[in-house]
Amino acid sequence: MKTLKSILCIALSLCTFLSLSAQKKSLKFHGKPDYYLECQSEALFKVADEGLDAFPPVVGAPIERRLALYNLDGLLHDTRNDNSEAFRGFVTSRVTKLLADLEKPFKRGVRIYKIYNEAFVVRTKSATIAFDISRCRCRGHKDPIVPTELAEKIVAKCDALFLTHYHGDHVDKYIVDLFVKAGKPVVAAPNILADKAGVTHRRNEEGIDNFELKLKSGKALQVSIIPAIHGKVMNNVYVVTTPDKYTVCHTGDMSGKSNFKWIPTIKDKVAKIDALLVNCWTGAIAKAIPGFDPRYVITGHENEMGHTIDHREAYWLSFTKLANIDYKYVVMGWGEWFTIK
């Protein structure tokens, strides 16, 4: 209850700040182009936030939802917004809403939460699993994008953490330490924090590594690790089945032609996948998806703010790539969730 109250307080403070900020700002812009663009960004982030609330994630997307996401594409490809108050207020608002939903009881299905970038939380009645949680940073800035206080509260709700590859937008040592100190399992590729006590390093270069991962609750996850790569970087692809038999696959930043040696037949070697959490810019994404044969496809890594603008893959680009696939797909913004039953 205390945690829920603190979340509501953060949300209320944010709304109050934005309201007061809007009241104090002058609407006289002549001769002040930078100030004009600052105020315009605030207005556009606010309406995008409201639009995503009004039109939450669904298969495909109505035009209203796509307009909200495409509006964000424009804002997030303007580097003037990279460390702005409007941008940080938007992220805080989205993640606060996600956390508020995590506080609610959940009884049926599997709910996929997208925090930021490829940080996902997967929740069923029996377990809550985290993948690649990192607070991340904008290009050229030191402050975290996801506020530390909110990240800590999300970690407190999770039972285990899986880390795909050793890049800063996927591995956050501070987050790993929170899991380890709480006695919660962390599974990682062997080169990720290699000497870190409390981290289980697993990978079989010769094939799929299948094992059971015990949770503090006494329940167990069934895990399959596929030895993929991201360019030349070791990248674990995880297929995880919860005690109530929901299966998700997180690809990390799987990329490179060598992955296609095993992708076409992977569906025959792992449990039936309910949700494929795939990086939106993986090579030949439409070709890769049938190899996993999931019930649903959910993309990640759009608008990664650590990248140059030419490598901040837009939401409109994900919709374009997925338009003609024969699978149900969902494109989510930050701080959103989608439930599969």
Side-chain angles (χ1 to χ4, degrees), residues 4-5 18 24 38 54 65 94 131 167 209 252 264 268 283 286 288 296-297 318-319 322-323:
L4 180 57
K5 286 182 179 178
L18 291 174
K24 291 178 181 178
E38 175 189 324
R65 176 170 172 78
R94 300 307 313 168
F131 294 91
H167 280 174
D209 181 10
D268 301 320
Y296 292 84
V297 176
S318 288
F319 280 107
L322 297 172

PDB file of all heavy atoms in Angstrom, residues 4-5 18 24 38 54 65 94 131 167 209 252 264 268 283 286 288 296-297 318-319 322-323:
ATOM      1  N   LEU A   4       2.238   1.870  -3.441  1.00  0.00           N
ATOM      2  CA  LEU A   4       1.220   2.409  -4.331  1.00  0.00           C
ATOM      3  C   LEU A   4       1.006   3.891  -4.058  1.00  0.00           C
ATOM      4  O   LEU A   4       0.884   4.703  -4.975  1.00  0.00           O
ATOM      5  CB  LEU A   4      -0.092   1.637  -4.156  1.00  0.00           C
ATOM      6  CG  LEU A   4      -1.260   2.091  -5.044  1.00  0.00           C
ATOM      7  CD1 LEU A   4      -0.867   2.025  -6.515  1.00  0.00           C
ATOM      8  CD2 LEU A   4      -2.489   1.234  -4.779  1.00  0.00           C
ATOM      9  N   LYS A   5       0.984   4.262  -2.766  1.00  0.00           N
ATOM     10  CA  LYS A   5       0.807   5.672  -2.419  1.00  0.00           C
ATOM     11  C   LYS A   5       1.963   6.518  -2.948  1.00  0.00           C
ATOM     12  O   LYS A   5       1.769   7.621  -3.441  1.00  0.00           O
ATOM     13  CB  LYS A   5       0.704   5.825  -0.896  1.00  0.00           C
ATOM     14  CG  LYS A   5      -0.630   5.349  -0.323  1.00  0.00           C
ATOM     15  CD  LYS A   5      -0.675   5.568   1.183  1.00  0.00           C
ATOM     16  CE  LYS A   5      -2.020   5.124   1.759  1.00  0.00           C
ATOM     17  NZ  LYS A   5      -2.070   5.281   3.227  1.00  0.00           N
ATOM     18  N   LEU A  18       3.765  19.820 -14.473  1.00  0.00           N
ATOM     19  CA  LEU A  18       3.469  20.139 -15.859  1.00  0.00           C
ATOM     20  C   LEU A  18       2.408  21.223 -15.968  1.00  0.00           C
ATOM     21  O   LEU A  18       2.471  22.105 -16.818  1.00  0.00           O
ATOM     22  CB  LEU A  18       3.016  18.876 -16.608  1.00  0.00           C
ATOM     23  CG  LEU A  18       4.094  17.819 -16.836  1.00  0.00           C
ATOM     24  CD1 LEU A  18       3.475  16.574 -17.461  1.00  0.00           C
ATOM     25  CD2 LEU A  18       5.209  18.364 -17.709  1.00  0.00           C
ATOM     26  N   LYS A  24       2.922  29.125 -16.141  1.00  0.00           N
ATOM     27  CA  LYS A  24       3.936  30.162 -15.990  1.00  0.00           C
ATOM     28  C   LYS A  24       4.541  30.584 -17.323  1.00  0.00           C
ATOM     29  O   LYS A  24       5.063  31.678 -17.449  1.00  0.00           O
ATOM     30  CB  LYS A  24       5.051  29.660 -15.060  1.00  0.00           C
ATOM     31  CG  LYS A  24       4.624  29.492 -13.607  1.00  0.00           C
ATOM     32  CD  LYS A  24       5.780  28.951 -12.780  1.00  0.00           C
ATOM     33  CE  LYS A  24       5.383  28.750 -11.323  1.00  0.00           C
ATOM     34  NZ  LYS A  24       6.499  28.179 -10.530  1.00  0.00           N
ATOM     35  N   GLU A  38      10.707  24.699 -27.678  1.00  0.00           N
ATOM     36  CA  GLU A  38      10.636  24.089 -26.348  1.00  0.00           C
ATOM     37  C   GLU A  38       9.185  23.919 -25.911  1.00  0.00           C
ATOM     38  O   GLU A  38       8.778  22.836 -25.450  1.00  0.00           O
ATOM     39  CB  GLU A  38      11.383  24.973 -25.351  1.00  0.00           C
ATOM     40  CG  GLU A  38      11.281  24.510 -23.899  1.00  0.00           C
ATOM     41  CD  GLU A  38      11.859  25.538 -22.939  1.00  0.00           C
ATOM     42  OE1 GLU A  38      12.868  26.198 -23.286  1.00  0.00           O
ATOM     43  OE2 GLU A  38      11.291  25.693 -21.837  1.00  0.00           O
ATOM     44  N   ALA A  54      -5.283   6.757 -24.192  1.00  0.00           N
ATOM     45  CA  ALA A  54      -6.615   6.617 -24.785  1.00  0.00           C
ATOM     46  C   ALA A  54      -6.697   5.442 -25.751  1.00  0.00           C
ATOM     47  O   ALA A  54      -7.763   4.838 -25.911  1.00  0.00           O
ATOM     48  CB  ALA A  54      -6.997   7.917 -25.506  1.00  0.00           C
ATOM     49  N   ARG A  65      -3.742   5.693 -32.557  1.00  0.00           N
ATOM     50  CA  ARG A  65      -2.576   5.197 -31.826  1.00  0.00           C
ATOM     51  C   ARG A  65      -1.296   5.405 -32.641  1.00  0.00           C
ATOM     52  O   ARG A  65      -0.271   5.826 -32.103  1.00  0.00           O
ATOM     53  CB  ARG A  65      -2.758   3.713 -31.482  1.00  0.00           C
ATOM     54  CG  ARG A  65      -1.547   3.114 -30.809  1.00  0.00           C
ATOM     55  CD  ARG A  65      -1.805   1.726 -30.240  1.00  0.00           C
ATOM     56  NE  ARG A  65      -0.536   1.162 -29.799  1.00  0.00           N
ATOM     57  CZ  ARG A  65       0.081   1.496 -28.665  1.00  0.00           C
ATOM     58  NH1 ARG A  65      -0.467   2.391 -27.866  1.00  0.00           N
ATOM     59  NH2 ARG A  65       1.227   0.958 -28.340  1.00  0.00           N
ATOM     60  N   ARG A  94       5.180   7.783 -18.183  1.00  0.00           N
ATOM     61  CA  ARG A  94       4.898   6.462 -18.741  1.00  0.00           C
ATOM     62  C   ARG A  94       5.294   5.347 -17.771  1.00  0.00           C
ATOM     63  O   ARG A  94       4.533   4.408 -17.534  1.00  0.00           O
ATOM     64  CB  ARG A  94       5.663   6.266 -20.062  1.00  0.00           C
ATOM     65  CG  ARG A  94       5.372   7.238 -21.185  1.00  0.00           C
ATOM     66  CD  ARG A  94       3.911   7.373 -21.514  1.00  0.00           C
ATOM     67  NE  ARG A  94       3.245   6.067 -21.640  1.00  0.00           N
ATOM     68  CZ  ARG A  94       1.918   5.921 -21.701  1.00  0.00           C
ATOM     69  NH1 ARG A  94       1.133   6.969 -21.618  1.00  0.00           N
ATOM     70  NH2 ARG A  94       1.401   4.733 -21.822  1.00  0.00           N
ATOM     71  N   PHE A 131      13.759  -8.812 -18.293  1.00  0.00           N
ATOM     72  CA  PHE A 131      14.762  -8.979 -19.339  1.00  0.00           C
ATOM     73  C   PHE A 131      15.445  -7.638 -19.610  1.00  0.00           C
ATOM     74  O   PHE A 131      14.775  -6.627 -19.873  1.00  0.00           O
ATOM     75  CB  PHE A 131      14.127  -9.468 -20.643  1.00  0.00           C
ATOM     76  CG  PHE A 131      13.545 -10.850 -20.586  1.00  0.00           C
ATOM     77  CD1 PHE A 131      12.213 -11.040 -20.236  1.00  0.00           C
ATOM     78  CD2 PHE A 131      14.314 -11.965 -20.882  1.00  0.00           C
ATOM     79  CE1 PHE A 131      11.660 -12.313 -20.194  1.00  0.00           C
ATOM     80  CE2 PHE A 131      13.778 -13.247 -20.843  1.00  0.00           C
ATOM     81  CZ  PHE A 131      12.449 -13.419 -20.497  1.00  0.00           C
ATOM     82  N   HIS A 167      25.989  -4.892 -23.465  1.00  0.00           N
ATOM     83  CA  HIS A 167      25.933  -3.505 -23.893  1.00  0.00           C
ATOM     84  C   HIS A 167      25.205  -2.705 -22.808  1.00  0.00           C
ATOM     85  O   HIS A 167      24.292  -3.226 -22.150  1.00  0.00           O
ATOM     86  CB  HIS A 167      25.212  -3.363 -25.233  1.00  0.00           C
ATOM     87  CG  HIS A 167      26.072  -3.698 -26.415  1.00  0.00           C
ATOM     88  ND1 HIS A 167      25.595  -3.749 -27.700  1.00  0.00           N
ATOM     89  CD2 HIS A 167      27.406  -3.990 -26.503  1.00  0.00           C
ATOM     90  CE1 HIS A 167      26.580  -4.068 -28.528  1.00  0.00           C
ATOM     91  NE2 HIS A 167      27.681  -4.226 -27.826  1.00  0.00           N
ATOM     92  N   ASP A 209      20.952 -24.748 -24.611  1.00  0.00           N
ATOM     93  CA  ASP A 209      21.185 -25.065 -23.197  1.00  0.00           C
ATOM     94  C   ASP A 209      19.838 -25.057 -22.486  1.00  0.00           C
ATOM     95  O   ASP A 209      19.219 -24.005 -22.317  1.00  0.00           O
ATOM     96  CB  ASP A 209      22.126 -24.009 -22.598  1.00  0.00           C
ATOM     97  CG  ASP A 209      22.442 -24.267 -21.132  1.00  0.00           C
ATOM     98  OD1 ASP A 209      22.108 -25.347 -20.622  1.00  0.00           O
ATOM     99  OD2 ASP A 209      23.014 -23.359 -20.492  1.00  0.00           O
ATOM    100  N   GLY A 252      17.145 -10.368 -27.389  1.00  0.00           N
ATOM    101  CA  GLY A 252      18.233  -9.420 -27.207  1.00  0.00           C
ATOM    102  C   GLY A 252      18.435  -8.648 -28.495  1.00  0.00           C
ATOM    103  O   GLY A 252      17.465  -8.295 -29.185  1.00  0.00           O
ATOM    104  N   PRO A 264      15.580 -21.002 -38.786  1.00  0.00           N
ATOM    105  CA  PRO A 264      14.482 -21.658 -39.510  1.00  0.00           C
ATOM    106  C   PRO A 264      13.892 -22.877 -38.817  1.00  0.00           C
ATOM    107  O   PRO A 264      12.740 -23.245 -39.082  1.00  0.00           O
ATOM    108  CB  PRO A 264      15.137 -22.040 -40.855  1.00  0.00           C
ATOM    109  CG  PRO A 264      16.223 -21.043 -41.020  1.00  0.00           C
ATOM    110  CD  PRO A 264      16.765 -20.834 -39.647  1.00  0.00           C
ATOM    111  N   ASP A 268      10.912 -26.022 -33.684  1.00  0.00           N
ATOM    112  CA  ASP A 268      10.782 -27.459 -33.445  1.00  0.00           C
ATOM    113  C   ASP A 268      11.620 -27.939 -32.258  1.00  0.00           C
ATOM    114  O   ASP A 268      11.532 -29.094 -31.855  1.00  0.00           O
ATOM    115  CB  ASP A 268      11.217 -28.240 -34.694  1.00  0.00           C
ATOM    116  CG  ASP A 268      10.389 -27.872 -35.912  1.00  0.00           C
ATOM    117  OD1 ASP A 268       9.165 -27.688 -35.761  1.00  0.00           O
ATOM    118  OD2 ASP A 268      10.974 -27.774 -37.012  1.00  0.00           O
ATOM    119  N   GLY A 283      18.198  -8.190 -38.500  1.00  0.00           N
ATOM    120  CA  GLY A 283      18.228  -8.400 -39.940  1.00  0.00           C
ATOM    121  C   GLY A 283      17.078  -9.268 -40.423  1.00  0.00           C
ATOM    122  O   GLY A 283      16.773 -10.304 -39.839  1.00  0.00           O
ATOM    123  N   ALA A 286      11.109 -10.020 -40.919  1.00  0.00           N
ATOM    124  CA  ALA A 286       9.972 -10.775 -41.438  1.00  0.00           C
ATOM    125  C   ALA A 286      10.361 -12.217 -41.764  1.00  0.00           C
ATOM    126  O   ALA A 286       9.543 -13.137 -41.663  1.00  0.00           O
ATOM    127  CB  ALA A 286       9.408 -10.086 -42.687  1.00  0.00           C
ATOM    128  N   ALA A 288      12.817 -13.823 -40.082  1.00  0.00           N
ATOM    129  CA  ALA A 288      13.175 -14.490 -38.830  1.00  0.00           C
ATOM    130  C   ALA A 288      11.960 -14.975 -38.047  1.00  0.00           C
ATOM    131  O   ALA A 288      12.001 -16.040 -37.422  1.00  0.00           O
ATOM    132  CB  ALA A 288      13.993 -13.535 -37.962  1.00  0.00           C
ATOM    133  N   TYR A 296       2.272 -14.294 -30.823  1.00  0.00           N
ATOM    134  CA  TYR A 296       2.306 -12.833 -30.967  1.00  0.00           C
ATOM    135  C   TYR A 296       3.749 -12.363 -31.111  1.00  0.00           C
ATOM    136  O   TYR A 296       4.664 -12.947 -30.518  1.00  0.00           O
ATOM    137  CB  TYR A 296       1.691 -12.136 -29.743  1.00  0.00           C
ATOM    138  CG  TYR A 296       0.203 -12.327 -29.592  1.00  0.00           C
ATOM    139  CD1 TYR A 296      -0.314 -13.462 -28.964  1.00  0.00           C
ATOM    140  CD2 TYR A 296      -0.699 -11.370 -30.067  1.00  0.00           C
ATOM    141  CE1 TYR A 296      -1.677 -13.644 -28.828  1.00  0.00           C
ATOM    142  CE2 TYR A 296      -2.061 -11.544 -29.928  1.00  0.00           C
ATOM    143  CZ  TYR A 296      -2.553 -12.683 -29.311  1.00  0.00           C
ATOM    144  OH  TYR A 296      -3.902 -12.852 -29.171  1.00  0.00           O
ATOM    145  N   VAL A 297       3.931 -11.294 -31.862  1.00  0.00           N
ATOM    146  CA  VAL A 297       5.234 -10.641 -32.009  1.00  0.00           C
ATOM    147  C   VAL A 297       5.148  -9.266 -31.352  1.00  0.00           C
ATOM    148  O   VAL A 297       4.215  -8.497 -31.621  1.00  0.00           O
ATOM    149  CB  VAL A 297       5.604 -10.463 -33.500  1.00  0.00           C
ATOM    150  CG1 VAL A 297       6.918  -9.700 -33.635  1.00  0.00           C
ATOM    151  CG2 VAL A 297       5.681 -11.813 -34.192  1.00  0.00           C
ATOM    152  N   SER A 318       8.843   0.197 -37.696  1.00  0.00           N
ATOM    153  CA  SER A 318       8.406  -1.130 -37.236  1.00  0.00           C
ATOM    154  C   SER A 318       7.083  -1.522 -37.887  1.00  0.00           C
ATOM    155  O   SER A 318       6.917  -2.660 -38.345  1.00  0.00           O
ATOM    156  CB  SER A 318       8.262  -1.143 -35.705  1.00  0.00           C
ATOM    157  OG  SER A 318       9.519  -1.118 -35.075  1.00  0.00           O
ATOM    158  N   PHE A 319       6.135  -0.583 -37.940  1.00  0.00           N
ATOM    159  CA  PHE A 319       4.857  -0.884 -38.593  1.00  0.00           C
ATOM    160  C   PHE A 319       5.067  -1.232 -40.061  1.00  0.00           C
ATOM    161  O   PHE A 319       4.429  -2.148 -40.587  1.00  0.00           O
ATOM    162  CB  PHE A 319       3.910   0.314 -38.469  1.00  0.00           C
ATOM    163  CG  PHE A 319       3.215   0.411 -37.145  1.00  0.00           C
ATOM    164  CD1 PHE A 319       3.569   1.379 -36.231  1.00  0.00           C
ATOM    165  CD2 PHE A 319       2.189  -0.471 -36.810  1.00  0.00           C
ATOM    166  CE1 PHE A 319       2.922   1.484 -35.008  1.00  0.00           C
ATOM    167  CE2 PHE A 319       1.538  -0.389 -35.591  1.00  0.00           C
ATOM    168  CZ  PHE A 319       1.903   0.592 -34.680  1.00  0.00           C
ATOM    169  N   LEU A 322       6.504  -4.793 -40.413  1.00  0.00           N
ATOM    170  CA  LEU A 322       5.624  -5.864 -39.954  1.00  0.00           C
ATOM    171  C   LEU A 322       4.298  -5.928 -40.712  1.00  0.00           C
ATOM    172  O   LEU A 322       3.510  -6.857 -40.507  1.00  0.00           O
ATOM    173  CB  LEU A 322       5.330  -5.704 -38.459  1.00  0.00           C
ATOM    174  CG  LEU A 322       6.539  -5.806 -37.526  1.00  0.00           C
ATOM    175  CD1 LEU A 322       6.144  -5.423 -36.100  1.00  0.00           C
ATOM    176  CD2 LEU A 322       7.135  -7.207 -37.549  1.00  0.00           C
ATOM    177  N   ALA A 323       4.062  -4.978 -41.585  1.00  0.00           N
ATOM    178  CA  ALA A 323       2.748  -4.836 -42.218  1.00  0.00           C
ATOM    179  C   ALA A 323       2.282  -6.088 -42.944  1.00  0.00           C
ATOM    180  O   ALA A 323       1.080  -6.393 -42.958  1.00  0.00           O
ATOM    181  CB  ALA A 323       2.765  -3.642 -43.171  1.00  0.00           C
TER     182      ALA A 323
END
